Amino acid sequence: MKAASKFLSAASAVTLSAALVVPGALAVQFVATSAAEAAVVSRVEVSGNQRIDAETIRNYITIKPGKAFSSSDIDGAVKALFGTGLFSDVQINQVGSTLVVKVAEYQVVNQVLFQNNKKLKDNALAAAVQLKPRGTFSQATLDADVESVKAAYKRIGRDDVTVTTQVMQLGDNRVNVVFNVAEGDRTQIAAINFVGNSAYSSRRLSDIINTKRSSWVSFILRDDVYDDDKLRADQELLRRFYYNHGYADFQVVSAVGELDSATNKYTVTITVQEGDRYTFGDVSVESSIPEVDGKSLESVIETHKGDVYNAKNVEDSIIALTEKVAGSGYAFAQVTPRGDRNFENHTISVVYTIDQGTKAYIERIEIRGNDRTRDYVIRREFDVSEGDAFNQVLIQRAKKRLEALNYFEKVDISTVPGSQPDQVVLVVDVVEKSTGEFSVGAGYSTGGDTAGPSVEGSVTERNFLGRGQFIKLSAGGGKNSRDYSLSFTEPYFLGRRIAAGFDIYKSTREYDNNYDSDTTGATIRFGLPITDSITTQLAYNISQEKYEVDDGCLTDGVYVPGSPCNISTAILDGIDQSPWIKSSVSLGLVYNTIDDMKNPHEGIYGNTTVEVAGLGGDAKFVKITGRGSVYQTLSESLDLVGLISGGAGHVEGYGSDGLRIFDQFQSTDRMIRGFAYGGIGPVDPLTGDHLGGTTYFNASAEAQFPVPVVPESFGLRGAVFADAATLYGSKVTSVAQESTDMQLRASVGIGLMWASPFGPIRIDYAIPVKKEARDDVQEFNFGISTRF
C-alpha cells in the first residue's frame, strides 16, 4: 500500500509537470520494462495527422529506428511535439518493435469575423486578438481573445460591452471564428474628487491629470475615458507637480474609480497627502574621485540655497554634473544626490556625491513593439550606442525624448544582463499610437487680413512612413481670403539633430473691396537645438506678391481718385510695382521654459528674428522683431496666473528703391487690443488709410483665472488685461502723412479663453483709454488665439 502511494505521487508529479509545460490535454503512455532500461524499435508509426506530414512529425522527435532510447527520450519527444503549437494531444506508445506516435491536430482558423462592431473597426479588433487566419485554434486562446476585445472597448470608454463567440465547423479540420459584439453605451466620468489637498485647488489638480470629467466636448476630445493605466500615469503627474513645487513629502494615498452600473458613470476619487513645503538649504558637491574637484563643479548645478525645492532642478543638476565629469574622461562616473531634511525650518540640504561607478558597457539595444516606427527613429534619440559606457542618466534622457515625440502611448526602458559580466542589454518597449490626423474646421475672426468666417481642412502625419518625419497639407479660406500650404520637416537632417524642412504656400486676400493680393512663396528652414530651452532657426524665404485694384474701382480700366474707391497714393504706388519678388534669409532664436504650452502657469517664452531681404529679388530691407512673455502663478489656491509680455520691431530699407508700404509693420490685436487691424500709426490724411510704420513697441499685463461654476474639463478661463503700444515712423515718401511720431496708445479689457477641440479660441472686449483722432477702434475681438 505504501509502495502504491509512492507510485501515485510520482505519477501525479509527472502529470503536473507536463501540464505546466504545454496547453491542452497531455497524455503520455509508454511501455517499458524498466525506467533505467533502454529500448530499441524498428520503425516509428504516425497516426491522427491530417495536415502535418508524418515525416515532419518524425523529425521533431529524437527517437530513431535501430537506436536505443529511454523513457526520458519519450518525454522529450512529447514536449517537442507540444512545443510546435500544432497539436492539442500527443500520445506515444511502444507496441512491440514499433513506436506509435498518435497526435490530434489543432483546428485551423479559416476566418476571424467580427459582427455588430461600429465604434472599433475590424482591423483594430483583429490586431487585438491572437487568433489569426491560417493559424491554429484553441479554446484557451479564444477565451483570452474575448477578454482582449473587451479591453479594447474599455480603452475607448465602453466598459459594459459584451462579447459572445461562435465557432463554425467547415470540415477538413477548419473553423471560422465569429465574435459577436454588443458595444453598449459609452461609459462616462461623472466626477473627479480630490481629498486631502489644501495647497492647490481641485480645479488646479484637475488641469494636471489627463483623466477628465465628462462634458459636452468629450465626444470630440475623448479625454473622459476611465482607464486604470491612465489613472496610474495621472498619479505620477501629480507627484511630479508637487515635487517640482516644494512638496517633497507628497504622496498619493489612493486613486480609485467606482462605476455606478445604473448610470454607467465612474466617480474617480484621488486621496493625497501634501506634506510641508520645502526650500533648498545648503547645496554642495562632493567627489570620491581624486582628480575631480567637487567645489569647482558647483557652478553647473541648478539648485540654489533659498529656492523652493524642485525635483526637476535636482534631475537637471545630476545630468549637468554627469556630462561635465564624463567630458573630463570619467565615463562611468555616477552622481547621487543625498537630501537632508530639516523638519523645523522646512529646508532640504542637498549633497551631490560623485563616485567612480561600476564599469558596464552596452552590448546592444533591443527595440520591441515598433510595428510602424523604424528602429533608427528610436535609436537616434539615445546619446549612447552599442559599445558605449552604460550611463543611467543618459538613458533616462532618451526616455524623455521618446515620450516627447508623441509617437507612443507608452515607453519603457529596462536592462537585462549581457553575454559578459560587464555587459548589459537595453530593452526598449514601446506602444505605438496613431500619429495621423484629418481635420475639418470652421471659425470666425473679427480682425486681421482674414476677418470674417472661414473654413479649413488639413491632413497631418507626424510620423510619415514611420520615419519620424512631419508632413501637413492644408487648404482653407473665407469671404476675402484663400490659403493653400504644404509643409514637410525632417527632424534629423543628415543623421544629426538638425531639423530641416520646407513650406510651400499660396494665399490671396481682398482688402476693403479696393484691391487684391496674390502671394506665392516657399521657405527652406533649418532648426538646431542649442540647449534644452534654446533653439535657433535659419531660413531662406522667397515669394512673389501680385497686387491689383478691384475692377469695381476702375473707370474704363483706369483708377480715378475719388471714384467708387478711395485708395491712398502710397498703396497705389505699391500696386504699380507689382509683381514684387522678395528673397530673404532669416535667423531666429527661441528661449522657452514654459511649464505647459497648452495651459501655462510658469516660465518664460521669448523669440527674436532678424530678416535680411535683398539676395536677389526686388525687396531690400533689414527687419528685426522680438517678443517675450513671462508667466507666474500669483495664487496657487485661486489658480491665478499673471502674464507680462512685450515686443518690439524695426525695419530699415536700403538701396535706391527704398521701403515699400507693404513691408512696413501693421498693428494687430497681438500688438494692442481695442483697435482695428492696421488701425493705428501713420495715416494718409486724404483717404484715412493707415500705412503702417517702421518701428513699434508694445507691452501687456494680464491676470488669468478659472471661470467660476464652469467645470475645469471645459477648459474655460477668464482674463483682465491692460495693453500699451506705439507704431510710428514711415519710409513712404509718395504721400504726406500724419501721426508719424511716437504716440502712445493704451487700452484695458476683459477676455475669455477656451481650449476648444478646434484650437485655442479667445474673445476680448477692450476699451481704448488713450488714442489719437484718426485711430480706428474695434472694441470686440474674436478669433483663434496664438499665445506665443
Side-chain angles (χ1 to χ4, degrees), residues 1 11 279 377 429 513 632 672 775:
M1 187 71 178
T279 58
V377 172
D429 288 298
N513 297 319
Q632 180 63 51
I672 185 169
D775 290 344

Side-chain angles (χ1 to χ4, degrees), residues 288-289 330-336 353-360 390:
S288 63
I289 304 174
Y330 298 91
F332 301 99
Q334 182 175 349
V335 180
T336 305
T353 304
I354 303 174
D355 299 313
Q356 181 61 51
T358 305
K359 290 186 177 181
F390 175 78

Side-chain angles (χ1 to χ4, degrees), residues 482 484 505-511 515-521 543-548 578-581 660:
R482 300 289 186 275
Y484 309 91
Y505 59 91
K506 180 179 177 62
S507 62
T508 60
R509 298 287 185 270
E510 298 179 8
Y511 298 94
Y515 64 97
D516 306 333
S517 71
D518 187 331
T519 304
T520 303
S543 63
Q544 181 189 65
E545 302 174 18
K546 297 180 179 179
Y547 293 87
E548 61 180 25
S578 173
W580 186 266
I581 303 294
R660 292 185 314 154

Side-chain angles (χ1 to χ4, degrees), residues 435-658:
T435 55
E437 179 181 302
F438 172 74
S439 64
V440 177
Y444 184 87
S445 176
T446 56
D449 58 1
T450 60
S454 63
V455 295
E456 182 184 35
S458 65
V459 179
T460 304
E461 174 55 61
R462 292 180 283 106
N463 188 12
F464 184 58
L465 299 178
R467 302 174 184 271
Q469 299 165 334
F470 174 90
I471 187 170
K472 179 178 181 179
L473 177 65
S474 65
K479 179 181 178 182
N480 300 315
S481 63
R482 300 289 186 275
D483 292 285
Y484 309 91
S485 66
L486 171 65
S487 296
F488 175 83
T489 301
E490 165 55 64
Y492 275 75
F493 183 60
L494 299 178
R496 299 184 178 273
R497 199 164 285 148
I498 299 175
F502 64 84
D503 306 293
I504 302 173
Y505 59 91
K506 180 179 177 62
S507 62
T508 60
R509 298 287 185 270
E510 298 179 8
Y511 298 94
D512 298 326
N513 297 319
N514 290 338
Y515 64 97
D516 306 333
S517 71
D518 187 331
T519 304
T520 303
T523 295
I524 300 175
R525 47 187 162 74
F526 299 91
L528 175 66
I530 300 175
T531 67
D532 289 341
S533 56
I534 302 175
T535 58
T536 184
Q537 187 173 84
L538 177 68
Y540 171 73
N541 318 282
I542 186 168
S543 63
Q544 181 189 65
E545 302 174 18
K546 297 180 179 179
Y547 293 87
E548 61 180 25
V549 178
D550 285 348
D551 291 340
C553 298
L554 302 177
T555 301
D556 296 329
V558 177
Y559 173 75
V560 178
S563 65
C565 306
N566 196 14
I567 307 175
S568 171
T569 302
I571 295 176
L572 291 173
D573 286 346
I575 294 174
D576 289 340
Q577 298 176 35
S578 173
W580 186 266
I581 303 294
K582 184 176 74 172
S583 174
S584 69
V585 292
S586 58
L587 177 65
L589 193 67
V590 176
Y591 177 76
N592 183 10
T593 61
I594 297 294
D595 58 344
D596 184 350
M597 294 297 286
K598 294 182 179 179
N599 186 19
H601 279 68
E602 292 180 0
I604 300 173
Y605 186 94
N607 68 78
T608 182
T609 302
V610 178
E611 182 181 9
V612 179
L615 303 180
D618 303 309
K620 289 180 173 58
F621 62 78
V622 178
K623 182 179 290 187
I624 302 174
T625 58
R627 181 179 176 85
S629 301
V630 180
Y631 287 86
Q632 180 63 51
T633 300
L634 304 178
S635 171
E636 301 285 5
S637 59
L638 299 177
D639 192 13
L640 181 65
V641 178
L643 164 64
I644 296 177
S645 62
H650 179 73
V651 59
E652 191 73 34
Y654 65 91
S656 58
D657 294 332

Side-chain angles (χ1 to χ4, degrees), residues 88-157:
S88 60
D89 191 20
V90 176
Q91 296 181 12
I92 299 180
N93 296 282
Q94 181 182 348
V95 180
S97 62
T98 301
L99 188 70
V100 179
V101 180
K102 185 177 181 180
V103 298
E105 296 178 353
Y106 277 120
Q107 294 176 303
V108 177
V109 177
N110 179 59
Q111 285 182 298
V112 179
L113 306 173
F114 301 94
Q115 294 184 349
N116 303 318
N117 55 304
K118 297 178 180 178
K119 301 301 180 181
L120 287 176
K121 301 301 181 184
D122 287 1
N123 56 353
L125 294 177
V129 300
Q130 300 178 59
L131 291 174
K132 307 293 182 183
R134 296 181 298 279
T136 58
F137 171 82
S138 73
Q139 185 61 44
T141 304
L142 179 61
D143 293 341
D145 284 348
V146 169
E147 297 305 315
S148 296
V149 172
K150 290 181 179 179
Y153 272 95
K154 187 175 181 179
R155 284 193 292 271
I156 64 169

Side-chain angles (χ1 to χ4, degrees), residues 24 144 165 418 428 470 669 731:
T165 60
V428 184
F470 174 90
D669 63 312
K731 295 297 183 180

